């Protein structure tokens, strides 16, 4: 309707729907990984063509949006839908933010160990808990460089890691080495493990939102 009314229209970033966008003069949507996109060297469907952009997804989506705004016809109204991937799981920070919160200890929420005994059915059936859902490789990044190069472990994290350049991989490895070492040596169990997982989750989540 806006396009028909004379607006310049654009959609850039996360789309997460099966169909191509309709009613936009320009669209560049993230594709791959169930249409949620990649953090590094992201793949886009742009006006019907598939392209891969170099860089970090938040920067690329932002740059595409700015480019559209700067090059639009200033005599016409416009509508831009600007959708970031971050902070979607699995929370992979940009190279410049890797390790940003490694030394920060976050306050634990009061319901960190809630067993949902007083909650509704939806809370009991959810599958997004710190204790049970976070995966060591995919979510918590517990994988050494050697493990990340093991071709017998070609899971989602393997493919996400290998989208990085060599320089990006080096920064990534340096940032996560202390976490991996800590996990492998501390042998945490029970609530101590949940507390540890929570700290790692918060560090990655917040670094991804910067």
């Amino acid at each position: 309707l806006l396009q028909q009314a004379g607006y310049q229209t654009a959609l850039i970033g996360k789309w997460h729907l099966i169909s191509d966008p309709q009613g936009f003069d320009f669209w560049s949507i993230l594709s791959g990984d169930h249409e949620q996109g990649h953090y590094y060297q992201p793949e886009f469907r742009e006006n019907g063509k598939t392209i891969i952009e170099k860089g970090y997804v938040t920067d690329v989506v932002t740059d595409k949006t700015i480019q559209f705004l700067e090059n639009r016809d200033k005599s016409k109204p416009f509508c831009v839908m600007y959708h970031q991937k971050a902070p979607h799981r699995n929370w992979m920070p940009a190279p410049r933010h890797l390790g940003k919160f490694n030394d920060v200890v976050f306050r634990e929420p009061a319901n960190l160990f809630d067993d949902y005994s007083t909650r509704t059915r939806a809370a009991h059936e959810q599958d997004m808990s710190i204790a049970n859902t976070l995966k060591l490789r995919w979510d918590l990044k517990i994988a050494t460089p050697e493990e990340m190069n093991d071709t017998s472990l070609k899971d989602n994290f393997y493919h996400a890691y290998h989208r990085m350049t060599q320089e990006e991989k080096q920064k990534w490895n340096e940032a996560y080495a202390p976490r991996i070492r800590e996990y492998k040596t501390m042998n945490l169990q029970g609530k101590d493990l949940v507390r540890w997982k929570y700290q790692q989750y918060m560090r990655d989540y917040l670094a991804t939102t910067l």
Side-chain angles (χ1 to χ4, degrees), residues 163-177:
R163 297 186 75 85
M164 299 183 195
T165 64
Q166 286 303 121
E167 181 181 358
E168 290 168 342
K169 286 179 182 178
Q170 183 176 350
K171 291 181 179 178
W172 180 277
N173 296 339
E174 291 172 356
Y176 284 97

Side-chain angles (χ1 to χ4, degrees), residues 37-193:
H38 305 281
Y39 276 108
Y40 286 80
Q41 277 60 251
E43 178 182 295
F44 287 82
R45 284 274 295 162
E46 187 164 296
N47 286 359
K49 296 181 180 180
T50 300
I51 59 175
I52 295 176
E53 301 282 16
K54 183 178 180 181
Y56 185 70
V57 66
T58 301
D59 301 330
V60 176
V61 170
T62 301
D63 288 345
K64 283 177 178 286
T65 304
I66 292 172
Q67 184 177 28
F68 175 83
L69 290 171
E70 289 180 342
N71 295 322
R72 68 184 177 84
D73 184 346
K74 303 298 192 299
S75 68
K76 296 180 180 180
F78 69 94
C79 174
V80 177
M81 300 179 73
Y82 163 61
H83 302 166
Q84 290 290 4
K85 171 184 172 64
H88 196 283
R89 191 177 183 184
N90 68 334
W91 318 290
M92 296 177 71
R96 63 186 177 275
H97 296 141
L98 288 169
K100 179 79 173 180
F101 297 104
N102 276 9
D103 297 325
V104 178
V105 177
F106 295 95
R107 184 173 63 181
E108 295 176 1
N111 63 347
L112 182 59
F113 301 109
D114 193 341
D115 62 4
Y116 305 117
S117 59
T118 61
R119 306 297 186 94
T120 62
R121 176 181 172 186
H124 282 277
E125 295 182 1
Q126 59 77 31
D127 187 29
M128 298 179 67
S129 70
I130 298 291
N132 302 318
T133 310
L134 292 186
K135 298 179 180 178
L136 287 177
R137 277 172 63 93
W138 179 240
D139 298 312
L140 297 172
K141 326 306 189 292
I142 304 301
T144 64
E146 293 75 24
E147 291 166 335
M148 290 312 305
N149 287 312
D150 186 344
T151 56
S152 69
L153 299 172
K154 287 190 175 183
D155 55 6
N156 286 340
F157 190 38
Y158 175 94
H159 293 294
Y161 176 83
H162 286 286
R163 297 186 75 85
M164 299 183 195
T165 64
Q166 286 303 121
E167 181 181 358
E168 290 168 342
K169 286 179 182 178
Q170 183 176 350
K171 291 181 179 178
W172 180 277
N173 296 339
E174 291 172 356
Y176 284 97
R179 176 185 300 186
I180 295 168
R181 185 166 54 249
E182 189 174 73
Y183 175 78
K184 290 177 179 280
T185 58
M186 292 182 69
N187 192 31
L188 297 172
Q189 304 291 330
K191 288 187 176 181
D192 288 337
L193 179 58

